[in-house]
Amino acid sequence: MSLNIRKECCLTPYHSFRLPGTALALVEVQSAEEMAEAWSLEAYASSPKLVLGSGSNTVFVERFEGLVIVNRIKGREVIDEGADWLVELGAGEDWHEAVMWSLSLGISGLENLSLIPGTAGAAPVQNIGAYGMELSDVCAYVDILDLEQGQLRRLSQEECRFGYRDSIFKGELKGRVVIVGVGLRLAKAWSPQLNYGPLRDLSDTCAHAIAERVMRVRREKLPDPSVLGNAGSFFKNPVVPNAVGKDLQSRHPNMPAYPAGEGQMKLAAGWLIEQSGMKGAKHHGVGVHQDQALVLVNHGEGTAEQLLALATQVVKRVSERFGVVLEPEVRLLNRLGEQCWSHYAD
């Protein structure tokens, strides 16, 4: 069966910000074989290519002058490894649905990562994390398609070089491989992770109760992308040297801050934005969410240009107030599919 290539495709339904935009062409693939076929299409040999999951962490700043390949590779499987469960997911699986599915099978360990938007394949790229846990804590391996050789390979957790919202897929292997599957190792001797804020006062500490609390808190703080276009947390929580963090705390005693290892401290970007007077701010069709300053939103008629202008203003205000420079967590892509924030931040 031949691939269904759609020319001059509207990108609005393919990213959660739902901003207007187009691509030269778009194709949806259902398997690693189709992914390899799409990547090697002769008609687009000299065109930029971009693999997209649910688009929950992507904004197209310009018309994309190439082929968008939407990863729809499905599959869920559980393997009993004795002391652990190995949960295998196709890269196109919806992450939250996979978390709920694992819990329905009585498998605990992913509950802290409930309701994070995106696909399983996107999770290792960003090393998604929430409520005291990161994907790297449970990742056993990542299956990849080597785009140059057209071969499948398996990377171990160590080979993925995970960091805070970072991985080898954002560095050395960027543009060279595509994630087609993820393996998660979850211990049967499970213990709850309750060290993060809203989870500390839970009386019922079963995995389902933790997931319910996480989902409730996330829904209270984060707008539903299907109702109000957004990509969740727009900015990374900045990590600063301890000396800088302690100096800020001396001047702002109520400032949230957390140890980040190696003499560093992590600050709460949402708090910095709110204290800079930007919470609820609007710029034409976009704005800073009224309940969560870390989230930028599309009020329905926003454009990428307006979003960039607002994001730039947020960064400027925080820098002026605190001397801390925020960086986007969201991928801002130009016509070639390259991240282009530095161009607008300068």
Side-chain angles (χ1 to χ4, degrees):
M1 184 176 178
S2 61
L3 297 172
N4 179 25
I5 311 294
R6 296 158 57 191
K7 306 287 185 64
E8 294 300 322
C9 185
C10 174
L11 292 172
T12 303
Y14 289 95
H15 68 132
S16 60
F17 247 109
R18 303 204 307 278
L19 299 170
T22 57
L24 177 66
L26 181 143
V27 61
E28 300 185 23
V29 300
Q30 312 292 329
S31 66
E33 291 74 22
E34 286 189 356
M35 178 69 74
E37 180 184 352
W39 193 268
S40 60
L41 285 169
E42 184 76 22
Y44 301 96
S46 60
S47 302
K49 301 176 187 68
L50 176 71
V51 177
L52 199 63
S54 65
S56 62
N57 196 46
T58 301
V59 171
F60 294 92
V61 173
E62 303 170 352
R63 165 191 159 84
F64 182 62
E65 303 289 349
L67 176 66
V68 173
I69 305 173
V70 183
N71 190 334
R72 302 292 195 213
I73 301 173
K74 301 289 186 175
R76 301 175 185 170
E77 186 175 356
V78 175
I79 299 173
D80 189 337
E81 292 191 328
D84 305 309
W85 297 111
L86 181 64
V87 177
E88 298 185 316
L89 302 174
E93 288 286 342
D94 180 272
W95 174 259
H96 175 65
E97 290 180 5
V99 172
M100 293 296 100
W101 167 76
S102 68
L103 289 174
S104 73
L105 297 178
I107 298 174
S108 305
L110 299 178
E111 54 283 340
N112 293 51
L113 302 180
S114 299
L115 211 60
I116 293 180
T119 59
V125 178
Q126 228 13 41
N127 187 21
I128 60 172
Y131 300 100
M133 179 183 176
E134 292 183 331
L135 180 87
S136 56
D137 297 330
V138 294
C139 182
Y141 61 81
V142 175
D143 286 333
I144 59 174
L145 172 67
D146 187 309
L147 296 171
E148 185 176 334
Q149 299 179 4
Q151 295 179 345
L152 293 173
R153 287 197 292 136
R154 176 165 290 183
L155 299 184
S156 67
Q157 194 268 6
E158 293 77 14
E159 289 174 312
C160 292
R161 299 182 196 168
F162 290 119
Y164 173 61
R165 301 297 177 269
D166 197 18
S167 69
I168 194 173
F169 308 109
K170 296 177 77 172
E172 181 182 334
L173 294 184
K174 181 182 177 182
R176 296 172 53 193
V177 305
V178 172
I179 294 173
V180 296
V182 178
L184 308 172
R185 183 165 285 112
L186 305 173
K188 292 182 181 179
W190 168 83
S191 59
Q193 301 296 319
L194 305 171
N195 295 326
Y196 197 92
L199 304 182
R200 289 176 180 156
D201 63 349
L202 272 177
S203 55
D204 183 351
T205 58
C206 74
H208 285 277
I210 294 171
E212 287 297 326
R213 173 64 65 88
V214 168
M215 288 188 287
R216 192 188 83 190
V217 173
R218 289 186 70 89
R219 287 181 177 124
E220 289 173 352
K221 291 185 175 182
L222 303 174
D224 184 345
S226 66
V227 178
L228 193 62
N230 73 90
S233 300
F234 192 90
F235 295 101
K236 298 177 184 177
N237 287 322
V239 176
V240 301
N242 277 339
V244 174
K246 289 178 180 178
D247 177 62
L248 285 170
Q249 283 184 316
S250 70
R251 291 182 282 126
H252 308 280
N254 296 326
M255 183 188 74
Y258 311 92
E262 299 180 359
Q264 295 184 309
M265 188 179 293
K266 185 189 299 182
L267 310 182
W271 186 90
L272 298 174
I273 296 168
E274 182 173 350
Q275 296 302 309
S276 299
M278 292 298 290
K279 186 176 182 179
K282 292 186 178 181
H283 179 71
H284 301 290
V286 300
V288 180
H289 194 253
Q290 60 184 4
D291 296 325
Q292 174 50 272
L294 191 54
V295 179
L296 304 191
V297 298
N298 174 14
H299 288 295
E301 299 180 353
T303 66
E305 292 78 12
Q306 293 168 2
L307 181 66
L308 284 169
L310 177 63
T312 302
Q313 181 64 14
V314 170
V315 171
K316 180 181 178 182
R317 292 283 288 273
V318 169
S319 178
E320 290 173 345
R321 178 79 191 277
F322 297 101
V324 175
V325 179
L326 297 182
E327 295 183 2
E329 186 170 320
V330 175
R331 295 193 305 166
L332 302 166
L333 306 181
N334 65 12
R335 64 187 184 87
L336 301 177
E338 299 169 343
Q339 297 201 54
C340 57
W341 171 251
S342 59
H343 172 74
Y344 296 93
D346 293 340

